[in-house]
Amino acid sequence: MARLTILEFPDPRLRIHAKPVETVDDRIRTLIDDMFETMYDAPGVGLAATQVNVHEQVVVIDVSENHDQPLVFINPKIEVLDETLFDYEEGCLSVPGFYEKVTRPRHVRVTALDRNGEPFTIEPEGLLAVCIQHECDHLNGKLFVDYLSNLKRQRIRAKLEKHRKEA
Ligand code: QAP
Ligand code: CO
């Protein structure tokens, strides 16, 4: 297993659209294992392959308290199940140190492949639904800061660039 480098906003590689995985093989399973190690080490609750500069549709999530409920989503598709919206203070490993309220659909259906290439469907609500939508956005080159005002996004960007220069 290996810890991978996480790209940080405003790295232009975070804007690349991920391609579907054609075959779920050992190469993809190694990527998944490395992504879990990277996410748990951070620590974080979700990570998309885009964030580790791999532009294939792979997401790992674990929103459990004890970090013992790993979820894998390959080629995920999201449908919104009802109109109700949900606010959450989102963060992102690619935007370290910043948390802002984002509004998203509360209840979604997700269809994806698991680490054996088997299709499955879940209908999460609340935090897991938020997290999956956030991670699927990454696969489409989108970040949670894109939902904020231009002013807020520019301020976050300026602070991150300043911190990086000082480090
Ligand atoms: C996405 O984010 C998410 O700023 C996953 O300094 C977040 O794991 C979905 C993290 C909230 C739903 C709700 C962020 C770690 C981790 C930071 C994360 C930081 C260290 C973020
Ligand atoms: Co993120």
Side-chain angles (χ1 to χ4, degrees), residues 137-162:
D137 274 355
H138 277 299
L139 300 179
N140 294 315
K142 189 160 180 153
L143 298 169
F144 85 92
V145 295
D146 299 343
Y147 294 95
L148 310 178
S149 67
N150 290 331
L151 181 64
K152 270 195 179 167
R153 188 168 51 258
Q154 294 319 321
R155 279 190 181 146
I156 290 172
R157 184 176 132 141
K159 284 183 190 161
L160 279 171
E161 284 178 333
K162 182 163 180 277

Side-chain angles (χ1 to χ4, degrees), residues 2-143:
R3 227 172 293 144
L4 308 170
T5 303
I6 299 175
L7 302 179
E8 292 186 4
F9 177 68
D11 193 309
R13 291 171 292 182
L14 288 168
R15 300 307 187 179
I16 298 172
H17 287 228
K19 290 182 301 217
V21 171
E22 278 179 24
T23 323
V24 181
D25 53 14
D26 286 346
R27 181 182 68 89
I28 294 296
R29 281 184 282 272
T30 299
L31 170 66
I32 288 165
D33 291 341
D34 291 347
M35 285 173 64
F36 272 118
E37 184 176 341
T38 305
M39 181 186 82
Y40 286 131
D41 185 66
V45 297
L47 187 68
T50 308
Q51 293 176 273
V52 294
N53 200 27
V54 175
H55 302 286
E56 299 184 66
Q57 293 175 15
V58 177
V59 162
V60 300
I61 289 178
D62 190 342
V63 295
S64 71
E65 228 164 83
N66 298 319
H67 293 178
D68 57 358
Q69 286 167 48
L71 300 172
V72 173
F73 301 87
I74 299 167
N75 302 344
K77 297 267 184 313
I78 294 186
E79 291 165 73
V80 175
L81 288 182
D82 69 59
E83 306 289 284
T84 320
L85 298 175
F86 186 77
D87 292 339
Y88 199 88
E89 289 273 326
E90 295 191 20
C92 180
L93 289 169
S94 294
V95 191
F98 294 89
Y99 296 83
E100 294 286 346
K101 189 182 88 178
V102 176
T103 303
R104 300 182 188 269
R106 188 186 64 95
H107 193 191
V108 296
R109 174 183 295 139
V110 188
T111 305
L113 303 178
D114 67 17
R115 63 181 291 136
N116 299 312
E118 296 295 329
F120 69 98
T121 301
I122 56 169
E123 296 187 356
E125 296 175 68
L127 176 59
L128 181 55
V130 168
C131 196
I132 289 174
Q133 291 175 79
H134 174 117
E135 301 310 333
C136 288
D137 274 355
H138 277 299
L139 300 179
N140 294 315
K142 189 160 180 153
L143 298 169

